[in-house]
Amino acid sequence: IVQDGIRRMYQNQEACFYYLTLYNENYPMPAMPEGLDPEGVLRGIYRFQASEKGKAKVHLFGSGPILNEALRAQRILAEKYDVPSDVWSLTSYNELRRDALAVERWNRLHPDRPARTPYLLEALKGSDGPVIAASDYMKVVADQIAPWLPGRMEALGTDGFGRSDNREHLRRHFEINAESIAAAALSRLAREGRFDAQKAVAAFAELGVDTEKIDAARA
């Protein structure tokens, strides 16, 4: 992807630059999904792994290493609770917001023309159900796109004070591990009447999610 971007920049004389963001966790980088249009990678969102159990009831957004937690949550939801979900890779919340704001401005200035659609909504077209967006950034990063997903998205992030611990404990503390993502998905489905609320409560216990734990943002 990086090589393709540099080639396009040189050939098209684009006035832009590309950069790499590195994390402090080593893990095998997955191959690009077969048949994927790289435009989604460059513009901020693409469906990384569709449900294998039918049409998704919930959509899991993952960024950076937390994409792996979203994939594990997808397996938990499917195997334990028979809930199909799609996993999306969010490569740039910033880019999605810039695009949406530009489209919004164009629509505002051209009321006599057919309205344009932000790329975010184009990518999600036909994908119904709530969205759980998890990352190891603060929730406000994902919240950037909330205006275009009204009432649909719940952000999970690392709001709160820093901690010195291993990744497993930190992700559990900030509620961004796979179990917390799965629990959030079941909770939203239960609120919408699409999953039994009592089963959701039982699932929290099964997943080791402490519902009375102090909010990490205030801990």
Side-chain angles (χ1 to χ4, degrees), residues 5-36:
I6 293 173
R7 177 181 57 79
R8 288 174 53 190
M9 178 178 66
Y10 177 77
Q11 290 181 346
N12 301 334
Q13 295 297 297
E14 296 176 351
C16 62
F17 65 90
Y18 292 84
Y19 64 92
L20 292 175
T21 301
L22 303 179
Y23 288 90
N24 64 350
E25 178 177 356
N26 296 323
Y27 59 92
M29 287 300 297
M32 183 182 294
E34 187 175 347
L36 173 71

Side-chain angles (χ1 to χ4, degrees), residues 141-161:
V141 174
D143 283 343
Q144 292 181 90
I145 63 172
W148 296 276
L149 298 172
R152 183 180 177 185
M153 189 183 78
E154 180 166 346
L156 305 179
T158 56
D159 298 54
F161 296 97

Side-chain angles (χ1 to χ4, degrees), residues 1 19 21 23 36 38-46 48 61-64 67 88-96 119 137:
I1 294 171
Y19 64 92
T21 301
Y23 288 90
L36 173 71
E39 181 182 20
V41 180
L42 298 173
R43 299 190 67 177
I45 182 173
Y46 65 97
F48 182 82
F61 287 6
S63 300
L67 179 64
W88 299 74
S89 176
L90 273 289
T91 57
S92 180
Y93 284 104
N94 291 342
E95 190 61 31
L96 290 172
Y119 184 77
Y137 296 110

Side-chain angles (χ1 to χ4, degrees), residues 9 12 15 25 32 73 79 102 133 137 140 179 181 189 213:
M9 178 178 66
N12 301 334
E25 178 177 356
M32 183 182 294
E79 295 170 6
Y137 296 110
V140 70
E179 289 77 9
I181 296 170
L189 290 172
K213 178 177 76 70

Side-chain angles (χ1 to χ4, degrees), residues 187-201:
S187 179
R188 286 299 298 266
L189 290 172
R191 287 288 183 188
E192 295 181 5
R194 302 172 65 186
F195 191 83
D196 184 86
Q198 292 307 312
K199 290 183 178 179
V201 171

